[in-house]
């Protein structure tokens, strides 16, 4: 038992350089000894860290636990995200019943069937980019060649961005997610994108298509339920939530498979769709790319894992340790693509569980079902120890992933 | 087995449709769960139990009959 008077440890904690795919060792020690404990944040405030799988699911479904950032005790990641979150409220920062009303306005486009209907177009986007890799320079950076463009073009499909505007959209999306970059430039990109999406809502209102902005233009804008700017903000949320997350899963997932060749063998040369789907769930579990974790605040007193959390206290539900909790996943540190891993919490849990999860699954299944089938000799072009991991980014991943392959590869689509 | 769903609580995650597509569906307008079969065949019970366990909104209730 740690000393009750001792200074709480700082959060976030560093990962071990030798284990870039594992959660920080400090977090794992907490999970073993003190699964609900206090940590100190960047601004000197404290929050409760909840690390076990069962406790993470409990707090994220407890109606006394709020996602509203207006509480003084809300545990913000840093000054920039505090400023942004308190300025621009999206459904991510809302509680019931308001949250579910807003979520359902977009949910029609994110059902399992809607994502399945997009599968042929998503497969086409993936194939086109793998074609370009095969025809292009070797080695190539997989982040720029595949991981970033695929999710951005899929969001274009969902939003209904016309083909003519897609290079503009991809540029702005890139500036928006560029971490370590200039916050002023990201802010300018955000404004540019909001203006663009606002105009697009007007165009969809005039001539609706089969996409989320058209449906919101007809159902919300025409009825006066939402302004064009509000719809543009909702559209931007889809980009912020769905672009870099999926991109990091593609690149980091590829890096993890290259580091575990016996697991990659399962996918090499093509695998059954059910096997690919299982491998995607295991990669989601193993990697936990949303490593700033789920942040909440207690709107009333509650007890979690035997600890008393007071009204107004910040709570951080740690998905990365929950996904490595031996009580939920036997031998949790082993990457095993045949594991039954669907109960991971990489998409969160509770009413805020990822709205885009079915779409993300189809994207990741298309990528991991195609990449090693069409390029079975794919290999890292630099030692894995030389890769630069994005320790301080909002979403964890690898900055660049130079890959190479034997020129005889590049078989049929 | 008797299955019940709480449409007010449903978050439209689709976990149930992935687990037991013969038992659960999602409304086309807003993604809310609909029940296709409230007394599914024993063959389907495994998938239904998975759905209840994975449902992030805890909107699926199972009873013996
Ligand atoms: C592998 C890729 C993805 C991962 C790991 C991921 C992860 C997550 C997580 C953990 C949350 C919950 C946050 C919380 O509880 O505080 C979330 C919410 C959300 N995600 Fe995803 N996501 C991914 C892809 C996508 C995609 C492709 C889209 C849409 C195009 C999307 C849209 C959303 C939205 C709108 C929310 C907010 C839901 C709400 O607050 O009710 N995500 N995502
Ligand atoms: S799993 Fe639960 S929240 Fe998700 S669609 Fe089914 S009933 Fe709704």
């Amino acid at each position: 038992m740690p000393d009750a008077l001792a200074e709480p440890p700082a959060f976030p904690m560093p990962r071990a350089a030798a284990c870039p795919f594992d959660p920080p060792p400090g977090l794992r020690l907490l999970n073993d000894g003190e699964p609900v404990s206090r940590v100190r944040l960047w601004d000197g405030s404290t929050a409760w860290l909840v690390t076990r799988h069962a406790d993470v699911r409990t707090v994220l479904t407890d109606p006394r636990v709020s996602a509203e950032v207006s509480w003084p005790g809300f545990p913000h990641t840093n000054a920039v995200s505090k400023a942004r979150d308190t300025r621009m409220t999206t459904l991510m920062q809302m509680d019931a019943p308001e949250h579910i009303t807003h979520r359902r306005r977009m949910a029609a486009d994110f059902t399992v069937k809607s994502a399945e209907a997009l599968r042929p177009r998503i497969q086409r986007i993936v194939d086109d980019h793998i074609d370009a890799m095969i025809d292009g320079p070797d080695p190539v950076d997989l982040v720029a060649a595949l991981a970033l463009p695929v999710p951005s073009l899929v969001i274009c499909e969902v939003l209904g961005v016309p083909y003519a505007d897609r290079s503009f959209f991809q540029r702005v999306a890139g500036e928006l997610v560029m971490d370590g970059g200039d916050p002023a430039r990201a802010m300018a990109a955000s404004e540019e994108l909001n203006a663009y999406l606002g105009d697009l809502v007007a165009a969809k209102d005039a001539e609706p298509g089969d996409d989320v902005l058209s449906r919101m233009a007809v159902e919300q804008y025409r009825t006066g339920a939402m302004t064009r700017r509000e719809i543009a903000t909702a559209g931007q949320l889809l980009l912020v939530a769905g672009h870099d997350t999926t991109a990091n899963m593609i690149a980091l997932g590829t890096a993890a498979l290259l580091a575990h060749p016996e697991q990659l063998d399962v996918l090499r040369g093509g695998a059954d769709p059910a096997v690919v789907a299982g491998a995607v769930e295991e990669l989601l579990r193993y990697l936990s790319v949303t490593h700033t974790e789920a942040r909440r605040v207690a709107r009333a007193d509650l007890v979690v894992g035997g600890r008393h959390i007071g009204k107004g206290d910040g709570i951080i539900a740690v998905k990365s340790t929950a996904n490595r909790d031996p009580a939920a996943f036997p031998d949790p540190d082993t990457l095993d693509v045949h594991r039954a891993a669907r109960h991971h919490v990489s998409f969160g849990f509770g009413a805020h569980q990822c709205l885009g999860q079915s779409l993300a699954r189809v994207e990741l299944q298309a990528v991991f079902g195609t990449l090693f089938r069409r390029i079975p000799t794919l290999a890292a072009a630099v030692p894995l120890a030389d890769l630069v991991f994005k320790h301080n980014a909002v979403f964890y991943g690898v900055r660049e992933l130079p890959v190479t392959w034997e020129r005889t590869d590049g078989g049929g689509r | 087995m008797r299955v019940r769903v709480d449409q007010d609580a449903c978050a439209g995650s689709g976990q149930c449709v992935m687990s037991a597509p013969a038992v659960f569906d999602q409304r086309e307008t807003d993604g809310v769960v609909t029940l296709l079969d409230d007394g599914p065949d024993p063959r389907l019970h495994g998938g239904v139990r998975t759905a209840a366990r994975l449902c992030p909104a805890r909107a699926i209730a199972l009873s013996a009959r």
Side-chain angles (χ1 to χ4, degrees), chain A residues 128-161:
Chain A
D128 286 348
H129 284 80
I130 294 177
D131 282 346
M133 275 174 70
I134 291 166
D135 295 339
D138 168 11
V140 67
D141 173 20
L142 186 113
V143 173
L146 188 70
L148 283 170
V150 167
S152 140
L153 287 173
V154 170
I155 291 165
C156 286
E157 293 281 347
V158 173
L159 290 175
V161 174

Side-chain angles (χ1 to χ4, degrees), chain A residues 103-104 112 342 350 353 357, chain B residues 7 10-11 15 19 25-26 56:
Chain A
R103 187 166 157 123
R104 286 179 185 173
V112 172
R342 272 188 60 205
Q353 191 181 61
Q357 60 182 289
Chain B
Q7 292 185 318
C10 172
Q15 299 275 13
S19 309
D25 199 0
Q26 286 173 281

Side-chain angles (χ1 to χ4, degrees), chain B residues 5 9-17 26 31 33 51 54-60:
Chain B
V5 292
C10 172
S13 71
Q15 299 275 13
C16 54
V17 180
Q26 286 173 281
V33 64
L54 293 182
C55 172
R58 306 226 156 118
I60 300 171

Side-chain angles (χ1 to χ4, degrees), chain A residues 91-92 99 103 106 110 155 237-238 241-242 245-246 249 284 289-290 294-296 319 346-348 351-356 359-360 363-364:
Chain A
L91 62 104
M92 286 187 101
H99 165 257
R103 187 166 157 123
M106 297 201 285
F110 296 96
I155 291 165
L237 168 67
L238 297 180
T245 43
T246 315
M249 268 309 300
L284 284 162
V289 296
T290 58
R295 289 155 192 275
R296 299 291 191 268
K319 293 167 287 171
S346 293
F347 289 125
H352 290 274
Q353 191 181 61
C354 183
L355 178 66
L359 189 65
E363 291 182 60
L364 296 173

Side-chain angles (χ1 to χ4, degrees), chain A residues 307-358:
Chain A
R307 301 299 294 258
H308 177 262
I309 294 180
K311 176 179 177 178
D313 287 354
I315 302 172
I316 301 174
V318 186
K319 293 167 287 171
S320 56
T321 48
N323 281 336
R324 299 293 189 98
D325 184 341
F329 304 96
D331 197 9
D333 296 328
T334 301
L335 175 68
D336 173 5
V337 296
H338 291 304
R339 177 199 295 276
R342 272 188 60 205
H343 54 302
H344 66 70
V345 287
S346 293
F347 289 125
F349 204 67
H352 290 274
Q353 191 181 61
C354 183
L355 178 66
Q357 60 182 289
S358 296

Side-chain angles (χ1 to χ4, degrees), chain A residues 20 81-82 86 91 136 156 177 185 219 238-239 299 324 331 348 350-352 392:
Chain A
S81 78
K82 180 174 183 175
T86 40
L91 62 104
C156 286
V177 301
R185 215 165 127 210
E219 290 163 19
L238 297 180
L239 181 68
R299 56 161 69 252
R324 299 293 189 98
D331 197 9
H352 290 274
N392 299 318

Side-chain angles (χ1 to χ4, degrees), chain A residues 185-199:
Chain A
R185 215 165 127 210
M187 192 75 90
S190 166
E191 283 303 321
E192 206 179 344
L193 186 68
N194 253 22
Y196 170 76
L197 290 173
D199 290 344

